[in-house]
Amino acid sequence: NAAKGREEEWLRERLERHVQPESSSEQHLAGDRWIRIMERRTADGGTIGIRVDITDLKRREASFRLLFESNPVPMWVIDRQTLKFLAVNDAAVGHYGFSRAQFLHMSLFDIRPQQDWPALRYFGYVPRNASLCAATKVSGMTSSNIPA
């Protein structure tokens, strides 16, 4: 139960959402079920509420998260516009030597050689067919065995 042990906080959050013109939240239910709650206020002061079972979505999300986090190949998620890191897996932390917190204050520009920057700006990433195969580690050393 989402409120168990924090009933007052849960009630305050719920009441805050209730007065908004529209809101969306997720609630974890007994039996490891999940629902998404979407509510919208009507012009006459009423409320329209929709509850959607998102249990399968949450399970797939957890599966992909596990695949990402435990993958032995360095992986990351970036913002396509800024190329800033949004998430990195343990293999990236181990390979490059930056902490996860450091990565989250960096972008692809910080780990790619300067000659790769035009491709990063143009494509938003380093294309697989590019001959760009070097990356900079925390030590300042360049690694040539990192997949581009």
Side-chain angles (χ1 to χ4, degrees):
N1 187 336
K4 192 168 188 168
R6 54 185 282 292
E7 290 83 0
E8 288 185 28
E9 180 184 356
W10 181 87
L11 184 57
R12 186 181 69 253
E13 291 169 356
R14 182 68 189 98
L15 289 173
E16 286 173 3
R17 281 196 304 271
H18 188 67
V19 298
Q20 296 174 0
E22 60 182 66
S23 67
S24 179
S25 62
E26 296 176 356
Q27 187 172 351
H28 193 197
L29 304 175
D32 205 27
R33 304 292 299 175
W34 285 87
I35 60 170
R36 178 168 292 134
I37 303 165
M38 296 169 284
E39 295 179 333
R40 183 170 294 194
R41 303 307 142 244
T42 61
D44 64 0
T47 301
I48 297 172
I50 300 173
R51 304 320 188 238
V52 179
D53 185 328
I54 59 169
T55 303
D56 290 339
L57 176 67
K58 285 290 198 177
R59 289 179 181 154
R60 284 192 304 271
E61 184 181 279
S63 176
F64 282 117
R65 183 173 289 112
L66 179 63
L67 177 65
F68 173 78
E69 291 172 354
S70 63
N71 200 304
V73 175
M75 298 174 74
W76 48 75
V77 178
I78 61 167
D79 179 295
R80 293 275 322 219
Q81 291 185 341
T82 65
L83 302 183
K84 289 186 178 271
F85 292 104
L86 301 174
V88 295
N89 69 356
D90 290 340
V93 170
H95 184 82
Y96 290 97
F98 297 103
S99 71
R100 188 169 269 102
Q102 287 173 308
F103 262 116
L104 297 181
H105 288 94
M106 297 166 56
S107 74
L108 278 178
F109 294 110
D110 295 310
I111 65 166
R112 302 301 304 186
Q114 198 165 4
Q115 70 260 22
D116 292 358
W117 291 6
L120 289 174
R121 286 188 186 101
Y122 182 77
F123 292 108
Y125 63 95
V126 178
R128 284 218 177 272
N129 62 352
S131 60
L132 311 171
C133 60
T136 305
K137 294 185 174 188
V138 71
S139 64
M141 299 295 291
T142 300
S143 173
S144 60
N145 62 350
I146 298 169

